[in-house]
Structures are given as C-alpha cells and as structure tokens.
Amino acid sequence: MTQTVPRFHLAVPVTDLEKARAFYGGVLGCPEGRSSDSWIDWNLFGHQFVTHLVRGPRPEAAHNAVDGHDVPVPHFGVLLTVEAFLLLADKLQAAGTTFAIAPYRRFADQPGEQWTMFFRDPSGNAIEVKAFADDSQVFAT
C-alpha cells in the first residue's frame, strides 16, 4: 500500500496509561492501536502517536510570549479543518478541559489566518490544535 500523505511519528512520556487512554481515546477520540503495559499506539488524526509510561520527575515547563499569550514549550499538535477544529473545541469544553490558551482566531482577514488552542494531557504534555482558513497559507510569510 502506498502512502500518499506524509505522516509523523511522535512518542511522549505519560505518568498514567489509563488516564492517557481516557484522554486520547475518550476525550480526543483517537483510535487505539497496539499496546503493552508500558505504551499505547494511537491514531492521532492520521499520525502515529505513542504514549510511553515514564516514571520520575518531569522537566520544568517553559513558555514563550506570542500574541500576548504564554505559549507552552515544548508542545505538539495537529492541523485540522476549521469545521473539525470548532467541533473538537466544543468537545474539549464539554469534557471540562482546562485550556492553557482558549480557542481563538489569529491574523483575521490576513495571510495565515488561523484558529488555535492549547491544552495539556493528564501528564502535562502541551498540545496545540490549529486550523487555517486557507490551507495554502500554512507557511505564509
């Protein structure tokens, strides 16, 4: 089978696999793949995403000022359609998600117009979800 769209693989540490399963499988709706007692594979919007059980202290969180917001660094995420973004934002709000940066629109009526939101998984991993008004503007200058 030929892959037509590049996909990424990302593995992140989690402190509790059952909480990861409830969040990624339940709240985000990611289909679960293979798993063991120390990791779970997920289909994160078409990308291979793995949560690995890791014990011990986590590095201190850092932030970077962007548009008057404290953007958590590091973070990872996906780009969705605007419709899928708004549906996910509603789903996260209904699940009681605490947003690091609540859903909002940046660069309105400008090149690169986008919706963005930041939140954390139960282990503290920062996630950004974006949606561009025009997908051809993902790399707008």
Side-chain angles (χ1 to χ4, degrees), residues 77-136:
V78 294
L79 304 178
L80 302 177
T81 64
V82 173
E83 179 182 19
F85 175 95
L86 295 172
L87 287 171
L88 181 60
D90 288 345
K91 185 176 182 179
L92 289 165
Q93 289 170 340
T97 301
T98 300
F99 290 94
I101 300 174
Y104 77 104
R105 187 171 67 159
R106 300 177 66 202
F107 310 122
D109 303 318
Q110 298 177 43
E113 178 180 331
Q114 62 192 262
W115 285 88
T116 187
M117 63 180 152
F118 286 82
F119 51 92
R120 294 186 181 274
D121 75 5
S123 295
N125 295 302
I127 302 167
E128 178 182 20
V129 177
K130 288 185 173 188
F132 283 80
D134 177 351
D135 201 50
S136 72

Side-chain angles (χ1 to χ4, degrees), residues 22-40:
F23 180 76
Y24 288 102
V27 176
L28 293 184
C30 298
E32 184 175 331
R34 291 175 294 193
S35 66
S36 78
D37 59 353
S38 62
W39 54 268
I40 303 171

